[in-house]
Amino acid sequence: MSGVIAFYSRAGENYVNGELKTLTVGNTEAAANALQRMINADLFKIEPYIPYSQDYSECLNQTKTDQLRKARPELVCCPQNIERYDILYLGFPNYWGTMPMPVFSFLEQCHFFGKVIRVFCTHEGDGFGHSMEDIKRIYPDAAIEAGPAIRGASISQAQAEMKNWIQNIGLSENEKFERKW
């Protein structure tokens, strides 16, 4: 069995505990890294060709505009031979009640039909929003499972939440995936 952790994350100015903080590593990337250390799956960062602004207010405007026009931003790349993976662990921050538009691009360009998709997100109060429904619309035949929705303000607890999650789905830290890259 093989798995890949694909995630979208944004460093720079972020809203944390009611104030703006500059992060060198985005919250979702921190959660993805914690998960990767536990299960040894391949790690893939979803990156738009034109990144959103590091300025929080400008990023909000850009992401809202993209969502309203249902944009599908061009990505830097997609993993090659994605069909070799049985399980996709998909992580993203909640933007405007769903996934960031680059995650939509990723899901529509890479084919996970009939696969297991295990989802985790970071947020500041809205959890998954309607992202799970959006993923199910893209992949109606995939087994889609909700994992932790981690508050960005408590990202330091991501390792504990990820550990609890993998134990709940029956994967122990000793059952690490075979790396494909």
Side-chain angles (χ1 to χ4, degrees), residues 6-9 44-48 75 77 90-91 102-103 106:
F7 69 95
Y8 173 83
S9 190
F44 178 79
K45 186 172 185 177
I46 300 166
E47 296 179 272
L75 301 178
C77 67
L90 180 65
V103 178
F106 173 78

Side-chain angles (χ1 to χ4, degrees), residues 1 7 10 15 17 30 34 38 43 47 56 72 80 92 112 121 130 132 134 138 143-144 158 163 165-167 170 176:
M1 183 176 292
F7 69 95
R10 188 185 146 281
Y15 188 73
N17 277 337
M38 287 179 225
L43 197 62
E47 296 179 272
Y56 184 74
R72 297 300 188 262
Q80 293 184 358
F92 51 85
F112 297 99
C121 79
H130 55 82
M132 296 302 290
D134 291 338
I138 297 169
I144 301 167
K163 184 175 184 176
W165 179 36
I166 64 172
Q167 288 172 342
K176 298 189 179 210

Side-chain angles (χ1 to χ4, degrees), residues 147-163:
I150 304 165
R151 286 189 68 95
S154 61
I155 199 63
S156 62
Q157 299 167 8
Q159 184 154 336
E161 289 196 48
M162 290 297 185
K163 184 175 184 176

Side-chain angles (χ1 to χ4, degrees), residues 7-8 46-48 52 63 66-75 78 90-112 128-139:
F7 69 95
Y8 173 83
I46 300 166
E47 296 179 272
Y52 291 123
T63 59
D66 274 2
Q67 187 181 62
L68 289 172
R69 62 186 185 93
K70 295 181 175 25
R72 297 300 188 262
E74 181 181 351
L75 301 178
C78 279
L90 180 65
F92 51 85
N94 178 329
Y95 280 11
W96 304 107
T98 191
M99 305 173 287
M101 301 318 284
V103 178
F104 280 91
S105 296
F106 173 78
L107 290 173
E108 291 171 2
Q109 290 176 22
C110 300
H111 301 287
F112 297 99
F128 284 106
H130 55 82
S131 59
M132 296 302 290
E133 293 81 9
D134 291 338
I135 297 168
K136 288 176 185 173
R137 272 194 288 285
I138 297 169
Y139 292 111

